[in-house]
Amino acid sequence: MNPFGECTEIDLQQRILIVGASGSGKSSTQRVLATPVILAGEADLEVWDLKQGTESQHYEGKADVRITNADQARARLKWFMSTELPRRARVMQDLRTSTWPTSMQHPDRIVMVDEGAALVRELDDDELATFFTFLEQARAFGIYLWWATQFPKGTNLPTELRSQMSAVVALKMRRQSESRVVFEDLTKEGWTPHRLPGKGWLLLLDDEHQDPEESRAAFIDEKEFRRLKPWNPTPAAPVVEPVIPPMPTYAPVVAEEVSADMDEAVQLTKVPAQSAPADLAGTAPAADPSPELAELSVPDAIRSALADAPAAGMSAAELVVATGRGKSQVYAGLQELTDDGAAVKVGRGRYVLADAAEVSA
């Protein structure tokens, strides 16, 4: 759920990169993503966990394959390339289709690698090249790789791997350098996972979310996950719809003044500035952002907009319109400016440049 009370969804039939520091909620997020796969009759799950199986133990009875050491990983990779991919190719040829026919007879397969840095360290160059080839080909045959790591560095996330990921779930990281590895140039626009509020908060980037979507993941702990009953193709008793155990979603806890900012932003999406006679503050709606603002970084665009602000300041909602940037980008830019002392809050959820506040005082 994002800060505006809207649900955020992710397509599970794609390659997903999951990154986050220890304690960021990465393991819980992986369990949340895996739950629909476990309950589905049209998908199978396998877990590669080279940390001696400490994390994959919770998937016992839910994942049909558990890989817990490098030798098993090598053997599994060889099986995929020599046996499983050719078998799936024959299925598609027999059905005269170029798209994998996802069904209970021909299920998708999710390969979830927990702490991929350990796998990268164990495989030599030739084995890594084979793995990258598998990664390139597997999606066409209904096999999707989910790669999780708490160490997003260039050595642990080779370009051949990162370039193949169609979705990124970035939880809180420790350093700005790690954010740059994952989001590259997007960090210059204010997308900085290392500045997320805390556990469970994440930025989601994929084809459906061209700008990273800030959200907080649902939470499922180890005990709840262990009680999860996987889909059973041959039940002894009459078929009963599977029940998902409680997975509470905690709404973000924010200060009162931030809530006011968010309320304004939500209203802004419901009443577009082009047609609204007045914005939420009762003044005329802001004009379209100038080309000059579009060329600036997010903090500089906000600073420029605030330079022309009235004495009462501008709200976050007005800055979204004035700068032409996304809601999350504006909040991140305001946070950076207030942290640096360049902007201050005046009144309820409105901002001015620090110099203007001093003159007014």
Side-chain angles (χ1 to χ4, degrees), residues 183-221:
F183 278 153
E184 299 177 342
D185 291 341
L186 286 175
T187 57
K188 299 177 182 177
E189 300 179 17
W191 305 113
T192 51
H194 65 283
R195 299 188 67 176
L196 285 168
K199 187 172 184 178
W201 284 96
L202 58 87
L203 292 174
L204 169 62
L205 177 68
D206 63 7
D207 289 341
E208 298 297 323
H209 304 86
Q210 295 294 323
D211 286 335
E213 177 80 12
E214 184 173 356
S215 301
R216 195 174 191 185
F219 177 76
I220 179 169
D221 66 18

Side-chain angles (χ1 to χ4, degrees), residues 16-27 29-30 48-49 51 55 112-121 145-158 161-162 165 168-174 178 181-182 193:
I16 303 177
L17 174 63
I18 309 164
V19 294
S22 177
S24 65
K26 180 167 57 65
S27 295
T29 301
Q30 289 175 250
W48 294 24
D49 174 18
K51 296 184 298 184
E55 187 62 38
M112 185 167 68
V113 179
D114 185 75
E115 193 44 67
L119 180 62
V120 171
R121 288 193 297 267
L145 179 78
W146 297 356
W147 184 277
T149 182
Q150 62 178 310
F151 302 109
K153 302 177 181 179
T155 54
N156 298 332
L157 282 176
L161 177 70
R162 276 180 289 157
M165 295 292 119
V168 177
V169 177
L171 292 100
K172 185 174 179 62
M173 301 180 200
R174 301 226 179 265
E178 296 174 344
V181 169
V182 176

Side-chain angles (χ1 to χ4, degrees), residues 37-353:
V37 180
I38 295 168
L39 295 177
E42 300 86 2
D44 296 321
L45 174 70
E46 64 179 73
V47 181
W48 294 24
D49 174 18
L50 271 63
K51 296 184 298 184
Q52 305 300 318
T54 54
E55 187 62 38
S56 65
Q57 62 178 314
H58 306 303
Y59 293 82
E60 185 69 47
K62 299 171 178 57
D64 63 350
V65 174
R66 290 177 58 211
I67 301 297
T68 59
N69 60 59
D71 289 338
Q72 292 176 348
R74 294 185 183 96
R76 188 67 174 171
L77 180 59
K78 182 178 180 180
W79 174 81
F80 270 120
M81 297 301 294
S82 64
T83 304
E84 183 61 2
L85 294 190
R87 182 192 72 80
R88 291 187 172 232
R90 289 193 298 271
V91 169
M92 294 167 63
Q93 291 167 1
D94 292 343
L95 295 175
R96 297 182 178 276
T97 177
S98 58
T99 303
W100 178 249
T102 303
S103 64
M104 287 188 287
Q105 183 180 3
H106 304 297
D108 288 344
R109 176 161 290 272
I110 302 296
V111 179
M112 185 167 68
V113 179
D114 185 75
E115 193 44 67
L119 180 62
V120 171
R121 288 193 297 267
E122 290 288 348
L123 300 182
D124 61 29
D125 291 343
D126 290 340
E127 291 166 340
L128 275 176
T130 301
F131 181 82
F132 296 145
T133 300
F134 164 67
L135 178 59
E136 293 170 359
Q137 298 179 3
R139 185 177 183 275
F141 300 106
I143 301 173
Y144 304 95
L145 179 78
W146 297 356
W147 184 277
T149 182
Q150 62 178 310
F151 302 109
K153 302 177 181 179
T155 54
N156 298 332
L157 282 176
T159 302
E160 295 89 342
L161 177 70
R162 276 180 289 157
S163 62
Q164 294 294 322
M165 295 292 119
S166 54
V168 177
V169 177
L171 292 100
K172 185 174 179 62
M173 301 180 200
R174 301 226 179 265
R175 302 173 183 85
Q176 184 176 4
S177 60
E178 296 174 344
S179 294
R180 285 197 296 266
V181 169
V182 176
F183 278 153
E184 299 177 342
D185 291 341
L186 286 175
T187 57
K188 299 177 182 177
E189 300 179 17
W191 305 113
T192 51
H194 65 283
R195 299 188 67 176
L196 285 168
K199 187 172 184 178
W201 284 96
L202 58 87
L203 292 174
L204 169 62
L205 177 68
D206 63 7
D207 289 341
E208 298 297 323
H209 304 86
Q210 295 294 323
D211 286 335
E213 177 80 12
E214 184 173 356
S215 301
R216 195 174 191 185
F219 177 76
I220 179 169
D221 66 18
E222 297 169 358
K223 292 182 179 179
E224 291 172 337
F225 189 71
R226 284 180 178 274
R227 290 197 295 267
L228 187 68
K229 301 298 182 183
W231 181 80
N232 184 358
T234 56
V239 177
V240 178
E241 288 294 327
V243 178
I244 303 178
M247 291 170 30
T249 300
Y250 300 103
V253 179
V254 295
E256 182 179 356
E257 59 270 19
V258 178
S259 297
D261 291 351
M262 290 182 177
D263 289 342
E264 292 175 353
V266 171
Q267 292 297 325
L268 186 66
T269 63
K270 295 179 180 177
V271 186
Q274 291 82 351
S275 60
D279 69 3
L280 297 174
T283 58
D288 291 337
S290 65
E292 290 78 8
L293 289 184
E295 298 296 328
L296 299 176
S297 67
V298 174
D300 287 342
I302 294 173
R303 191 194 306 270
S304 180
L306 289 178
D308 298 325
M314 295 180 70
S315 68
E318 292 168 331
L319 287 169
V320 167
V321 177
T323 63
R325 309 305 172 90
K327 295 171 288 189
S328 298
Q329 289 177 291
V330 168
Y331 292 135
L334 282 171
Q335 183 66 53
E336 182 173 333
L337 290 174
T338 53
D339 288 347
D340 294 341
V344 296
K345 183 173 291 187
V346 290
R348 187 177 177 84
R350 306 185 73 80
Y351 298 84
V352 298
L353 292 177

